[in-house]
Amino acid sequence: MIASPEPEYLTPEEYLQLEEASPIKHEYINGYAYAMAGATDAHVTVAGNLFVLLRNHVRGSGCRVYIADMKARIESLNRYYYPDVMVTCDQRDQETPNHKKFPCLIVEVLSNSTEAFDRGDKFVDYQEIETLKEYVLINTKRQRVECFKRGDNGLWILQSYTEQDKIFRLNSVDFEGGIADLYEDVTFEQPTL
C-alpha cells in the first residue's frame, strides 16, 4: 500500500520507466509515485490462495489472473494501482505487458494500513473502469469476504460471506469457492483498536 510520495511529478511514461528499474513497487496517482509498504504473512497467503483457486478455474477460458505485481491502469483518472488479485477476460489487455486496463474482477486483501483507502478512494477510482463487474475486499482478521457487484443500473451491491456461509461466489468469473480454501494456512492478524 501507499507509504510516501516521491517528490517529483512524473508523466505516465516516466512512471512506467521508473517502475521497470525500481527495486520497490510504487502506485501512481495523478503524476506522483507512492512507495508501497510490504505485506504480512496472512495477506500474502490469502492472496496466493485466491490466485490458485481462480487460476485453476479460468484455465483454458481466455481469461488471465494476475497477482500483486501487475498494475491496473485507470486512464481517465491518471492512476496505476497494484491490486492484490485481478482477472481480465478482455483480449485488449494482451496488448499491454506491464498493466491491464480492462479487468472484470479486482481483489484487495485488507490490512490495517490499507483498509480505509481500499474501501474509500481506491474503490471510487476502480469504479471508473467500465469493464469492472466486481470489487472484492478480503479480511485478514476474520473470515469475511465482501463482494461489491456492479448492477445493471450501475449501482454497486454488497454481498458479504463469512465462515458460516461455507462458500463465496464471484459472478464476474462464474466462480464458487470454499471460504476454508481461501483461508487455508492463514494465521489471523490481531485487530487494532
Side-chain angles (χ1 to χ4, degrees):
M1 181 41 218
I2 293 174
S4 60
E6 298 296 326
E8 181 179 319
Y9 179 85
L10 300 166
T11 66
E13 296 77 20
E14 290 169 333
Y15 161 74
L16 291 173
Q17 200 170 29
L18 168 81
E19 256 337 71
E20 270 187 43
S22 178
I24 59 171
K25 294 189 299 189
H26 299 81
E27 290 192 324
Y28 176 84
I29 301 174
N30 206 25
Y32 294 92
Y34 295 82
M36 296 179 65
T40 63
D41 186 281
H43 187 282
V44 172
T45 303
V46 167
N49 289 346
L50 182 60
F51 173 82
V52 169
L53 293 169
L54 289 175
R55 175 66 185 118
N56 288 332
H57 176 70
V58 303
R59 184 171 273 122
S61 71
C63 297
R64 298 288 304 271
V65 182
Y66 298 96
I67 189 167
D69 289 333
M70 180 57 69
K71 294 176 280 303
R73 171 72 167 140
I74 308 169
E75 214 157 7
S76 63
L77 298 175
N78 198 22
R79 310 266 195 275
Y80 285 93
Y81 290 127
Y82 282 98
D84 290 311
V85 177
M86 171 173 54
V87 178
T88 179
C89 301
D90 195 306
Q91 296 302 306
R92 295 173 290 178
D93 273 332
Q94 292 181 8
E95 299 168 11
T96 51
N98 60 6
H99 66 274
K100 304 302 167 195
K101 295 194 262 186
F102 308 103
C104 59
L105 170 65
I106 289 179
V107 180
E108 295 289 359
V109 179
L110 300 175
S111 65
N112 290 333
S113 63
T114 67
E115 185 167 358
F117 186 58
D118 289 343
R119 289 184 181 284
D121 288 344
K122 191 180 254 189
F123 181 30
V124 170
D125 289 351
Y126 281 147
Q127 290 176 45
E128 289 291 312
I129 301 171
E130 291 180 11
T131 56
L132 188 64
K133 297 176 184 171
E134 229 163 0
Y135 179 60
V136 178
L137 299 173
I138 302 178
N139 202 299
T140 54
K141 297 177 187 117
R142 67 182 73 97
Q143 292 185 6
R144 186 173 68 214
V145 178
E146 298 171 68
C147 298
F148 292 89
K149 302 166 193 291
R150 190 189 307 252
D152 294 334
N153 57 4
L155 298 177
W156 291 85
I157 301 160
L158 171 63
Q159 171 69 57
S160 292
Y161 302 96
T162 65
E163 182 177 10
Q164 290 75 28
D165 295 305
K166 305 282 190 231
I167 60 149
F168 65 101
R169 178 142 185 78
L170 303 176
N171 294 340
S172 58
V173 290
D174 194 28
F175 174 79
E176 191 171 275
I179 294 283
D181 295 330
L182 179 64
Y183 284 100
E184 183 179 2
D185 296 328
V186 172
T187 301
F188 291 98
E189 297 174 358
Q190 296 301 311
T192 57
L193 302 178

